[in-house]
Amino acid sequence: MLSVGGVQFYQDFINGKITDPNDPTLKKVLNAYAEYLNYVNSDHAAKTWDEACGLVYKGDAAMTIMGDWANGYFKAKGWKPNVDYGAIVLPSNVYDLVIDTFVLPAKAAHPDAAKKWLSFIGTVEAQNTFNPIKGSIPARDDAPLDPYGPIQKEFIKDLRSSSTKLVPSITHGSAVPPAFLSDLNDIISTFVTNRNVDETAKSIVNAVKQDLLPNKIKEWKLT
Amino acid sequence: MRLKFREESLYSLLFLTPAIVLVGVFIYFAIVWNVYISFTDWKGLIPSYRFVGLENYRILFHDPVFWTSFRNNIILIILFVPGSLLLGLLLAILLDRKIKFENGFRTIYALPFALSFVVTATLWAWMYDPSDGVLNTLFSMLHLEFLKSNWITDPHVALYAVILALIWQFSGYTMLIYLAGIRSVSSEQYEAAIIDGANQLQLYRYVVIPQLKKPTLSAFVVLMVFSLKAFDFIWVLTSGGPGTSTFILAVEMYKETFAKTKFAYGASIATVLLLLSFAIVLPYLYWSYGGEKE
């Protein structure tokens, strides 16, 4: 959606503004996705992201589309970045953010220890200990680049570039309410097998009206 | 005498109270509460009981996912109920043939029913795995590639794969019911039929099977009610997917209520399920109580 429709369309979509089932951009997005699906393995629905990376590792697949954490998978298998495998950002100039959170419950037994942990994970030290192993990149823009491999350095450069837009992830639940995400997951799983663009566009628009708009909590401004 | 009777009924009331209270609160009150909720607009984590009449039902009957679930539920009933009954009857007749190791086979056939749905659904999910599952691997080894399938990941096949697994699990239950039914036919009737020149097929067709009406009916009701609420097995095996291809009403109810927190909408699906269960159970109750009076 970001590659084909661009950030403005993405913003309209997560704000619930795409309510016409004949929206040309929405259809273009679905058509592009259907085009991609011509290249997937037949048992794709039974595979998890790491099993998909496993196909690349074994040489059964040429590529996989995944977040930067896939780096960690290949590194753990002993592959060297830009020697045994490479990566490109898709689309460029946009960074789709996934947010993981730690929660401090109101009645936690050791709130001080929890607060210490929370302030620690935000430090450069913690970020640069964790990310090189996981394969992802640090959220802080003052983190030194030394512990990172060439692919991660490329990603960091992209993230810190002033022309890069940051957008919240739909799939991981940041951009849209859970009720809509649940609909969208079912709709897309159906689309993956029937590839019916018109019917899918209609279902998506229905879901926007039924589960996105009534549950909307904020208006996104990404551009 | 009179005093004793009163004392007894006092005691029975005392001992019945906990059960009556628990069943009353957690079953009958919950049912009434659910029906009431379905007329409100409760949505999200904070309850709101604003009365909206039949609005939820209006949306429900215009919801294509509801009709998909409804259709799948009907397909499930049409294939699963007779499938389990026939397979159970076949197994029971085979076991009735005074075979060797009857006890062993009986345990083997009845065992699936004794296992938790979560366990069997997980096992079937592994067997159905299109790349590493035992079914596709087996078909490859036997050079029966045409039988290979994407099973629960193919929306055209998934529902039937679920039904097949359910028939397997319930055939043990129907087998036990039928075996007990067959064994209760008195040996004189067998002898009489054989003296009259009946062959084995006729023996079952005309003597045994007509006497299995009662076990069939009670198994039928259990299977019907199960097919309306077959949530756990399907949830573990496919979670309703791919897409909505293995949604049944119970799965849709769960998703609407807990994944989307549309409590009132989920309650309206629950009410539809309740009515369907009544439609099945009431004639049975009428029949079995009416039958006793005769």
Side-chain angles (χ1 to χ4, degrees):
Chain A
M1 183 176 288
L2 278 166
S3 322
V4 177
V7 177
Q8 182 62 47
F9 180 77
Y10 190 87
Q11 176 182 304
D12 288 346
F13 184 76
I14 61 180
N15 281 335
K17 296 220 169 77
I18 308 301
T19 48
D20 174 14
N22 292 313
D23 187 289
T25 315
L26 181 61
K27 288 201 169 173
K28 220 169 112 191
V29 168
L30 290 170
N31 276 316
Y33 186 37
E35 180 75 32
Y36 263 115
L37 292 172
N38 291 328
Y39 300 96
V40 299
N41 43 308
S42 63
D43 57 351
H44 59 86
K47 290 262 180 277
T48 54
W49 72 268
D50 49 319
E51 286 169 348
C53 290
L55 290 180
V56 176
Y57 181 75
K58 276 189 290 184
D60 291 338
M63 64 187 86
T64 183
I65 301 179
M66 193 34 64
D68 52 15
W69 51 83
N71 250 322
Y73 176 89
F74 293 120
K75 274 175 136 180
K77 291 272 186 189
W79 270 13
K80 286 198 169 53
N82 281 356
V83 178
D84 297 307
Y85 73 104
I88 53 162
V89 288
L90 175 90
S92 55
N93 286 331
V94 179
Y95 219 96
D96 193 15
L97 292 181
V98 180
I99 300 167
D100 291 328
T101 47
F102 289 90
V103 177
L104 170 56
K107 290 181 182 168
H110 305 288
D112 291 334
K115 277 177 196 156
K116 261 188 193 160
W117 163 249
L118 290 177
S119 37
F120 173 68
I121 50 176
T123 61
V124 169
E125 188 196 352
Q127 299 256 322
N128 270 7
T129 310
F130 174 73
N131 284 308
I133 302 166
K134 194 201 173 202
S136 46
I137 59 173
R140 289 179 69 116
D141 57 9
D142 58 347
L145 301 186
D146 321 325
Y148 296 96
I151 291 177
Q152 284 162 304
K153 279 185 180 146
E154 196 72 23
F155 291 167
I156 295 170
K157 215 176 87 193
D158 202 48
L159 178 71
R160 293 181 188 175
S161 148
S162 57
S163 62
T164 296
K165 298 268 184 293
L166 302 179
V167 302
S169 164
I170 294 178
T171 319
H172 301 89
S174 309
V176 291
F180 177 69
L181 181 59
S182 167
D183 292 332
L184 198 61
N185 276 332
D186 291 340
I187 295 167
I188 297 299
S189 322
T190 308
F191 178 68
V192 165
T193 49
N194 72 12
R195 303 192 198 171
N196 185 333
V197 171
D198 292 342
E199 198 183 283
T200 305
K202 226 165 82 186
S203 311
I204 290 177
V205 164
N206 279 343
V208 166
K209 288 179 193 158
Q210 218 174 64
D211 286 327
L212 199 166
L213 292 173
N215 298 314
K216 200 168 139 181
I217 38 173
K218 72 169 280 182
E219 186 78 20
W220 291 98
K221 281 199 184 66
L222 307 174
T223 47
Chain B
M1 201 56 194
R2 217 185 131 87
L3 193 77
K4 203 178 167 201
F5 177 74
R6 272 182 56 190
E7 211 171 82
E8 242 173 47
S9 57
L10 198 73
Y11 274 122
S12 23
L13 197 68
L14 187 70
F15 290 130
L16 279 174
T17 308
I20 290 174
V21 168
L22 289 176
V23 171
V25 170
F26 289 107
I27 298 188
Y28 294 102
F29 173 73
I31 289 175
V32 174
W33 182 240
N34 175 76
V35 174
Y36 174 70
I37 291 291
S38 74
F39 294 121
T40 70
D41 67 347
W42 182 7
K43 192 188 215 169
L45 293 175
I46 300 160
S48 118
Y49 306 125
R50 202 168 63 84
F51 193 80
V52 293
L54 292 169
E55 178 63 13
N56 285 316
Y57 295 91
R58 197 189 59 78
I59 301 172
L60 189 64
F61 293 135
H62 287 95
D63 183 352
V65 179
F66 170 74
W67 290 111
T68 306
S69 313
F70 192 80
R71 202 200 58 210
N72 287 345
N73 232 147
I74 301 290
I75 296 176
L76 176 72
I77 289 172
I78 290 175
L79 295 178
F80 160 72
V81 175
S84 305
L85 289 175
L86 286 176
L87 187 62
L89 180 64
L90 186 76
L91 291 176
I93 289 176
L94 289 177
L95 282 176
D96 185 48
R97 310 283 303 162
K98 309 266 178 321
I99 50 161
K100 275 187 185 168
F101 314 117
E102 190 205 305
N103 283 334
F105 280 111
R106 204 167 56 200
T107 313
I108 289 171
Y109 291 134
L111 198 60
F113 191 66
L115 292 172
S116 145
F117 288 120
V118 177
V119 173
T120 54
T122 308
L123 289 175
W124 278 97
W126 288 342
M127 296 208 298
Y128 279 143
D129 187 290
S131 25
D132 312 311
V134 69
L135 283 176
N136 278 358
T137 312
L138 192 71
F139 291 147
S140 288
M141 277 166 65
L142 298 173
H143 300 289
L144 296 167
E145 265 84 6
F146 68 96
L147 283 173
K148 281 172 80 170
S149 158
N150 281 331
W151 303 115
I152 48 171
T153 58
D154 179 343
H156 303 291
V157 181
L159 183 63
Y160 303 100
V162 168
I163 294 173
L164 184 74
L166 277 175
I167 291 178
W168 167 81
Q169 177 144 24
F170 272 84
S171 61
Y173 164 73
T174 48
M175 181 272 290
L176 284 178
I177 289 193
Y178 276 130
L179 195 61
I182 292 174
R183 290 281 153 88
S184 69
V185 175
S186 67
S187 55
E188 285 88 351
Q189 293 186 14
Y190 283 94
E191 282 162 19
I194 288 167
I195 288 167
D196 283 345
N199 62 29
Q200 289 299 319
L201 202 68
Q202 288 169 323
L203 185 69
Y204 282 106
R205 170 68 187 81
Y206 295 107
V207 180
V208 180
I209 293 177
Q211 301 197 43
L212 295 176
K213 222 158 94 189
K214 254 203 160 142
T216 305
L217 203 81
S218 49
F220 176 79
V221 170
V222 170
L223 295 175
M224 284 292 270
V225 171
F226 174 80
S227 17
L228 288 176
K229 64 180 184 85
F231 173 77
D232 36 9
F233 192 88
I234 295 183
W235 189 251
V236 174
L237 189 51
T238 66
S239 303
T244 52
S245 57
T246 53
F247 264 49
I248 62 167
L249 291 173
V251 172
E252 200 203 353
M253 173 180 76
Y254 176 85
K255 273 214 155 174
E256 293 292 345
T257 314
F258 298 110
K260 304 191 193 168
T261 62
K262 289 155 90 174
F263 290 95
Y265 195 60
S268 65
I269 302 173
T271 309
V272 171
L273 269 175
L274 178 73
L275 293 177
L276 288 172
S277 308
F278 273 152
I280 292 161
V281 176
L282 285 183
Y284 170 73
L285 289 178
Y286 181 78
W287 180 85
S288 57
Y289 283 109
E292 261 168 38
K293 266 182 227 147
E294 269 170 33

